[in-house]
Amino acid sequence: MKVDVVCVGDPFLDLIFRGLPSFPVPGEERLATDLVVVPGGMANVAYALGRLELAAVVCAPMGQDPAGRLLAGLMADAGITWVGRVTDATPVTVALPADGDRALVTLMPAPTVDAETLVGITTRAIVVDLPSAGQLPVLPSPTRVYAVVGDPEVAMLTGRLPADLDDIHALVLNRREVVGLTGRSDVVSAARHLADLGTTVVVTRGSEGAIAVEPDGRIVEVAARIAEVADPTGAGDLFAAAYVWADLAGHDLEERLRLAASYASLSLERPTDRQKGITLREFRALMPA
C-alpha cells in the first residue's frame, strides 16, 4: 500500500451530546438536543487529510467488541481506510460541548503501534501519538513524523518526557497540553523547552491563535480567525491535519500556521452531523485572496 500519510493511533467511537446549555454538575441531569455518533481521534485526522486531497489511512489495532464493529462501519461510511491487527477493546469518548468548550470522558487501552502492518505501507508522512513515537519501526528517509498528544497521553508523559525529539518533524498540541507536559505555566516558555529537545513545537491557543517555536529558538505567531463555533470537538485534529497538508505542500512555517488555524475554524463553523472537515475546494473558496 502506498499513501501520503499514515495516522498511527487509535480511532475512537465518539458520542457527542449537543445542545447542552451548560456543563452538568455532579448529581445533575441535563438534556441534550441531539446525539452525534462519529469516528474520532486519528479517524478525524485521516478524514480531514482526505478532504484536503491527500491519501491517508489509519493504522491501529481493530477492536472486535460491539463498539469496534460500529466504529468500523462508521469509518467505512466516511471513506476512512482502517488497517491493523485484530484486538479486543475499542476506545470510546463521550463529548459534552457547552459554553464554547467541551468536556470529555474517554475509555482507552494503552497506545500501541501495529509495527507489522505499518512496515507494509509506503508513506510520505506519519502522524502518531507522542507516547507511541518511540515504538515506530525504522522508517525510510525522508518520511516525516508528526506527533500529537491528548490529555491521557500528557498524563502518561508528565515527568517522563523523552530525552530528545530529534526524530519528530513537528509536535502539535494545545496550550493546556504543552503546559501539562512541561509543568511550565507560560506557553512560550513551555514550547521553548520542548523545542530544545530537537523538534518544531506548534501550539494552538484558541482565540489567541497559534504559535510555533523552532529548535533554533525562532518564534512564529498567527492570530486566530474569528469564528462562531457551537461544537469545538475535533478542533485539534483538524488543525493537525491541515498543518501536515500545508507542510507537505511546501508552505513556510507562518503560512502553515495560518492555513491550519483557518481550516480548523472554517470546518468547525460548517454545521454537520457527520465527520468535520471541509473539502480543499471549499477551503480555497472561503479563504481570502
Side-chain angles (χ1 to χ4, degrees):
M1 177 185 291
K2 184 176 181 179
V3 297
D4 293 306
V5 185
V6 181
C7 298
V8 179
D10 289 315
F12 284 67
L13 179 64
D14 277 1
L15 309 176
I16 306 171
F17 289 81
R18 290 181 173 170
L20 292 171
S22 60
F23 296 118
V25 299
E28 181 183 26
E29 182 178 6
R30 288 292 180 101
L31 295 179
T33 58
D34 63 311
L35 170 64
V36 177
V37 183
V38 291
M42 281 296 182
N44 284 335
V45 180
Y47 180 78
L49 287 165
R51 300 286 273 178
L52 290 166
E53 299 185 6
L54 290 178
V57 300
V58 173
C59 179
M62 305 174 69
Q64 299 303 295
D65 55 335
R69 294 194 293 271
L70 175 56
L71 178 57
L74 292 171
M75 289 178 66
D77 289 344
I80 306 166
T81 300
W82 184 8
V83 296
R85 58 178 172 78
V86 171
T87 189
D88 296 327
T90 299
V92 177
T93 290
V94 174
L96 305 176
D99 300 328
D101 204 340
R102 78 278 189 272
L104 305 172
V105 178
T106 295
L107 174 69
M108 62 177 286
T112 60
V113 171
D114 185 351
E116 184 176 351
T117 301
L118 182 58
V119 296
I121 305 173
T122 301
T123 184
R124 299 166 62 194
I126 286 175
V127 181
V128 63
D129 294 318
L130 183 57
S132 299
Q135 303 176 34
L136 292 174
V138 176
L139 301 169
S141 180
T143 304
R144 295 179 181 179
V145 177
Y146 302 84
V148 295
V149 298
D151 288 337
E153 290 83 9
V154 169
M156 295 176 198
L157 290 169
T158 300
R160 297 185 294 275
L161 282 174
D164 66 72
L165 297 174
D166 293 339
D167 294 333
I168 304 297
H169 188 70
L171 171 61
V172 183
L173 66 176
N174 65 33
R175 56 186 166 192
R176 185 183 64 255
E177 293 159 352
V178 75
V179 167
L181 278 179
T182 62
R184 303 187 178 199
S185 59
D186 178 71
V187 170
V188 174
S189 174
R192 281 184 183 275
H193 177 70
L194 293 176
D196 285 343
L197 299 179
T199 189
T200 297
V201 178
V202 179
V203 184
T204 61
R205 302 185 295 174
S207 62
E208 297 178 22
I211 184 171
V213 181
E214 296 191 303
D216 63 4
R218 185 169 78 102
I219 299 176
V220 176
E221 296 185 59
V222 297
R225 181 185 179 278
I226 299 175
E228 293 292 331
V229 177
D231 174 14
T233 308
D237 299 326
L238 291 163
F239 182 98
Y243 181 90
V244 171
W245 163 77
D247 195 18
L248 293 179
H251 293 289
D252 64 30
L253 181 56
E254 183 174 358
E255 186 68 357
R256 278 176 250 157
L257 294 182
R258 186 181 74 88
L259 289 168
S262 297
Y263 183 79
S265 294
L266 290 167
S267 294
L268 290 171
E269 284 183 324
R270 182 67 56 88
T272 179
D273 290 332
R274 301 178 67 84
Q275 294 292 113
K276 296 172 184 174
I278 56 178
T279 66
L280 181 57
R281 177 177 294 183
E282 290 170 324
F283 183 40
R284 286 173 171 162
L286 292 168
M287 286 292 288

